[in-house]
Amino acid sequence: MSSESGLGDGGPFRVGLLGHGTVGGAFHELLDARAEAIEAEVGRRPQVAGVLTRSRGDFDDILERSDLVVELIGGTDPAREYVLRSMAAGRHVVTANKQLLSQHGEELFDAARGHGVQLRFEAAVAGVVPAIRVMNETLAAAYIDRVHGIVNGTTNFILSEMARTGETYAEALRQAQELGYAEADPTEDVTGKDAAAKMAILARLAFNAPVHLDQVSYEGIERVTVDDIEYARELGLSLKLIGTAERIGRGIAVHVHPAFLYSGHPLATVDGAFNAVTIESPAITEITLSGPGAGGPQTASAVLGDVISAMIPPPSLPPPAVEQQIVTDVEFSFYLHLEVADRPGVLAQVAEILGLQGVSIRSVVQKGLGQEARLVMVMHPVLESKFRAAVELISRLEFVRETPRVIRVIEETF
Ligand SMILES: NC(=O)c1ccc[n+]([C@@H]2O[C@H](COP(=O)([O-])OP(=O)(O)OC[C@H]3O[C@@H](n4cnc5c(N)ncnc54)[C@H](OP(=O)(O)O)[C@@H]3O)[C@@H](O)[C@H]2O)c1
């Protein structure tokens, strides 16, 4: 880094912010909120030195006052020029711009190399899912055969809704727009072009070969019908818009299209606006990463992670520990299995004891087994100490035949 950039000085770490829309605005807020914690961890406080939008800020002035530039404008022009000029001036760059990288990646990587600066782009593929970091760092030495991805949240949401509710494509798209998962103009998403750009970037990293967006064949979801999805469900299949980058013979193929998956596939259960990337390599078998694929705060979090990585060499040790209270009595939802005598009043007595300890029953299944009966219940979340106290009392009831069995239930669904 050039000394004029100010890197290495003890003062604030100045971030020039290009774009202040969905992601840029969320990034600005997140950076302000986390600045103190970042300073405590890495020794310098990041601060936004200037903001460029169509109506405010001057690029040259912001560049002059920045140690690092974050590009969140989108599109190729003028983003490409700003990124190149930032790197030529010795500034590290962080971007979330898949269109730019999938069309001008090699030029930008060469420029970063030539100027000795970092170009980080975790947020350009699959939002906050750390696919880029894992491929660049964790799997740096792995020979990758294939990458499959659900890398567009809008289309995954539409297909999931069609499967869940039986809605048509048009109805599910309208709902995605109402909920903010799809833009007013959803063309790039539903035609598969957005996913194609992301797969070009993943292919570049997986195979270390230049892959341009134009070399990715893609097909969207506009022609998918409710019938396709319903028949597939009867066959145990789910429909996803899948991006694939794979080695074929001595070459590589990169494509995006709707595809049916059998239920055992790691991507089959990725629903709603979630994204996921599966990386296959003989050495590691397979890794699947999943999480929110878009959204201002989520994407901003990946952008800020890149900024911190550019501020300091990535830490190999965790930051110094700070003492915290260790909580031992935790709320859980519990499954309780009781073998009891089959006679009237048993369930009422069990329920009463649970109620007195503040444990509320969510669901009960009762099954007669001749003289005996089986009571299986799931509770609403309750402190473990209260639940254990209730179970202790229940186990002493004369009609309880065996030691009660208790298993925790994780209630969240994603
Ligand atoms: N939204 C997401 O969930 C998401 C997820 C992953 C990656 N991304 C990527 O993140 C980037 C930003 O997306 P976004 O959703 O935040 O876009 P956005 O809401 O449309 O915001 C774009 C910002 O860039 C500014 N801008 C546009 N053209 C400009 C120009 N010629 N000169 C200066 N400023 C200009 C706009 O200025 P005005 O305010 O004046 O209009 C606006 O502040 C894109 O590369 C996108 O692909 C977005």
Side-chain angles (χ1 to χ4, degrees):
M1 220 32 218
S2 73
S3 57
E4 74 182 271
S5 72
L7 266 185
D9 301 343
F13 184 84
R14 301 160 306 163
V15 176
L17 179 54
L18 315 182
H20 208 260
T22 306
V23 182
F27 170 78
H28 197 164
E29 256 179 48
L30 185 65
L31 185 137
D32 286 350
R34 300 295 300 157
E36 202 176 312
I38 295 168
E39 183 178 16
E41 208 166 295
V42 309
R44 291 190 65 187
R45 188 185 187 89
Q47 75 179 32
V48 171
V51 173
L52 182 76
T53 68
R54 276 179 281 226
S55 55
R56 68 165 153 149
D58 173 77
F59 174 72
D60 289 306
D61 175 50
I62 291 170
L63 182 60
E64 180 60 34
R65 291 190 287 112
S66 301
D67 297 314
L68 173 150
V69 171
V70 171
E71 185 278 306
L72 296 170
I73 292 175
T76 51
D77 294 308
R80 172 177 160 273
E81 186 203 328
Y82 288 155
V83 168
L84 286 171
R85 283 176 57 196
S86 301
M87 294 194 293
R91 304 317 191 251
H92 296 317
V93 171
V94 173
T95 178
N97 192 332
K98 63 243 161 189
Q99 294 300 346
L100 180 62
L101 287 160
S102 64
Q103 294 176 63
H104 300 283
E106 296 317 307
E107 179 188 21
L108 299 175
F109 297 144
D110 285 347
R113 234 174 268 118
H115 297 297
V117 295
Q118 296 183 35
L119 174 62
R120 291 185 170 265
F121 50 94
E122 183 64 70
V125 179
V128 73
V129 180
I132 305 292
R133 203 171 285 258
V134 166
M135 289 177 80
N136 268 345
E137 296 175 21
T138 317
L139 300 180
Y143 178 90
I144 296 171
D145 283 326
R146 184 160 63 179
V147 180
H148 275 318
I150 294 178
V151 288
N152 182 273
T154 307
T155 45
N156 203 47
F157 175 84
I158 292 171
L159 294 174
S160 302
E161 280 303 288
M162 288 174 73
R164 195 177 66 82
T165 63
E167 283 177 348
T168 62
Y169 165 74
E171 288 163 347
L173 170 60
R174 201 163 36 248
Q175 210 201 326
Q177 285 169 323
E178 278 164 21
L179 292 171
Y181 291 131
E183 309 265 329
D185 177 3
T187 313
E188 294 238 332
D189 292 325
V190 299
T191 57
K193 185 174 180 189
D194 174 89
K198 293 165 179 169
M199 291 312 300
I201 298 170
L202 289 179
R204 165 68 176 86
L205 301 182
F207 309 132
N208 204 21
V211 179
H212 190 281
L213 174 61
D214 292 346
Q215 295 167 306
V216 182
S217 62
Y218 60 90
E219 182 189 321
I221 62 164
E222 304 107 304
R223 289 197 294 276
V224 171
T225 69
V226 178
D227 277 355
D228 292 331
I229 292 179
E230 273 178 10
Y231 288 126
R233 191 169 30 210
E234 283 177 31
L235 296 165
L237 300 166
S238 56
L239 186 63
K240 305 287 177 196
L241 184 70
I242 299 288
T244 302
E246 59 189 341
R247 293 185 193 270
I248 295 188
R250 303 180 71 144
I252 57 174
V254 191
H255 39 100
V256 171
H257 42 65
F260 287 118
L261 301 174
Y262 281 100
S263 58
H265 193 282
L267 299 184
T269 51
V270 177
D271 282 331
F274 263 45
N275 279 193
V277 176
T278 297
I279 305 160
E280 296 172 29
S281 158
I284 56 157
T285 315
E286 173 260 305
I287 289 180
T288 300
L289 304 156
S290 77
Q298 295 85 345
T299 310
S301 151
V303 174
L304 185 55
D306 273 352
V307 170
I308 296 169
S309 294
M311 287 173 74
I312 48 156
S316 59
L317 292 174
V322 180
E323 286 294 339
Q324 303 227 17
Q325 186 199 351
I326 304 292
V327 180
T328 50
D329 194 11
V330 178
E331 266 200 359
F332 285 104
S333 174
F334 289 94
Y335 156 104
L336 174 63
H337 179 136
L338 298 173
E339 299 286 337
V340 295
D342 191 6
R343 59 173 192 249
V346 164
L347 177 56
Q349 276 194 60
V350 169
E352 190 186 349
I353 292 175
L354 289 169
L356 286 172
Q357 296 297 327
V359 183
S360 99
I361 302 170
R362 180 186 177 132
S363 52
V364 185
V365 177
Q366 187 168 9
K367 202 169 172 186
L369 304 164
Q371 304 281 10
E372 313 282 282
R374 181 169 296 157
L375 272 181
V376 177
M377 307 178 181
V378 175
M379 313 302 159
H380 285 292
V382 61
L383 277 179
E384 178 161 4
S385 57
K386 291 188 176 185
F387 181 70
R388 295 281 176 198
V391 173
E392 172 60 25
L393 293 173
I394 290 167
S395 68
R396 287 193 224 142
L397 295 170
E398 51 78 28
F399 56 73
V400 174
R401 297 286 180 256
E402 285 181 16
T403 308
R405 287 219 304 279
V406 169
I407 299 176
R408 289 169 179 79
V409 177
I410 293 176
E411 288 198 312
E412 293 91 350
T413 52
F414 294 93

